[in-house]
Amino acid sequence: MTLQRWLPFGDQVVRIFTRKGTVLFDALRRNDFGVTEFQGVGRDGPVSMLFVQVRRARAALVVRAARRLDPGCFYTIDDIRVANAALSHALPTSTQP
């Protein structure tokens, strides 16, 4: 287990799978989270995936907001190691590959 997992440094992506995509999307945007919504089809029909990139310390806030509006949503949280500087608010400044 790495120390990074326990310290609130870096960025994470929270992916939320829900049938209440528009409601969650609007609520997260109102709370100043950058959200992208993707439409898909799951086993039981239409589903939305919300993609939210946040500082590690704010990932729990995203999950809490999503679960409050859709207790049945499914979510994953992953560390971001590399991101496009033009689209990210927090990237390493190193120019080395």
Side-chain angles (χ1 to χ4, degrees), residues 2-4 6 10 12 14 17-19 25-26 35 43 47 50 59 64 66 71 73 75 77-79 90 92 95-96:
T2 65
L3 185 60
Q4 182 181 13
W6 297 103
Q12 292 187 309
V14 181
F17 298 86
T18 180
R19 299 200 185 288
F25 178 88
D26 291 341
V35 184
R43 179 188 69 201
V47 66
L50 304 179
R64 209 172 303 131
C73 71
Y75 65 90
I77 301 173
D78 293 303
D79 291 335
T95 58
Q96 297 187 14

Side-chain angles (χ1 to χ4, degrees), residues 8 13 62:
V13 61
V62 172

Side-chain angles (χ1 to χ4, degrees), residues 48-92:
S48 293
M49 180 185 78
L50 304 179
F51 183 98
V52 188
Q53 180 180 342
V54 292
R55 290 285 193 188
R56 180 182 300 271
R58 298 188 72 204
L61 297 173
V62 172
V63 171
R64 209 172 303 131
R67 297 296 302 249
R68 185 173 42 250
L69 294 169
D70 182 6
C73 71
F74 174 77
Y75 65 90
T76 63
I77 301 173
D78 293 303
D79 291 335
I80 296 175
R81 295 178 188 246
V82 178
N84 181 331
L87 301 177
S88 179
H89 66 279
L91 292 176

Side-chain angles (χ1 to χ4, degrees), residues 23-34:
V23 172
L24 265 66
F25 178 88
D26 291 341
L28 291 169
R29 289 289 249 203
R30 278 193 307 273
N31 287 296
D32 295 324
F33 291 107

